[in-house]
Amino acid sequence: MATTRSSTADGSIDVLLVGLLDQWMAAIVANDAARIADYMTDDWTMVSENGITSAAEFLAFVESGALTHSAMQRASEASIKHYGKVAVLTVRATNTAHYQGERFDADEWTTDVFVETEQGWRCSLTQITAVAAR
């Protein structure tokens, strides 16, 4: 398991955010749309090489079974920057997904923008960048 580089005085928020990320990844691997949604704001957006995907679109893919994940984990130390009630978490992650029956193995840098809400910290934006093949 990767460790976290703390950018807060005691690191407690960083530990919480990395824990949330790990739990969110576990919900994604469980293919549980309701659990996945618990980690996202209603207006969550993902930006990837395929364009922009809304929370509703992503969750609908999971609910329908068109998108499943069999593996997802952090592959690097997390870098976290804080801006009041906003935190930006960047980490390298690997995952195995299946979209409409076709397998995709990914090695990506992900940047997640977390915001502190009344319900706790939730992700509002995910940016995915594929790691270049060498």
Side-chain angles (χ1 to χ4, degrees):
M1 184 70 70
T3 58
T4 304
R5 180 174 51 244
S6 176
S7 58
T8 59
D10 68 359
S12 60
I13 294 173
D14 291 6
V15 170
L16 172 76
L17 290 171
V18 171
L20 286 173
L21 179 64
D22 288 342
Q23 292 168 25
W24 189 19
M25 288 179 168
I28 292 170
V29 171
N31 301 300
D32 185 334
R35 273 181 55 207
I36 294 167
D38 287 342
Y39 297 92
M40 305 156 68
T41 60
D42 291 339
D43 63 349
W44 173 86
T45 304
M46 178 175 62
V47 180
S48 70
E49 69 276 3
N50 296 317
I52 298 172
T53 304
S54 71
E57 292 168 321
F58 183 83
L59 295 170
F61 286 134
V62 173
E63 286 174 349
S64 72
L67 175 64
T68 63
H69 287 80
S70 57
M72 181 174 284
Q73 64 186 13
R74 290 183 287 122
S76 77
E77 183 175 300
S79 172
I80 304 173
K81 307 288 186 204
H82 297 270
Y83 307 94
K85 293 183 180 244
V86 175
V88 179
L89 187 153
T90 302
V91 67
R92 187 172 180 172
T94 59
N95 74 75
T96 300
H98 294 81
Y99 181 68
Q100 297 182 337
E102 187 175 346
R103 179 180 169 145
F104 294 91
D105 293 296
D107 184 358
E108 305 164 320
W109 286 100
T110 64
T111 299
D112 293 305
V113 177
F114 282 87
V115 295
E116 190 174 20
T117 70
E118 290 180 8
Q119 296 78 31
W121 288 91
R122 300 289 184 265
C123 186
S124 66
L125 174 73
T126 298
Q127 167 73 53
I128 300 171
T129 304
V131 172
R134 297 193 191 260

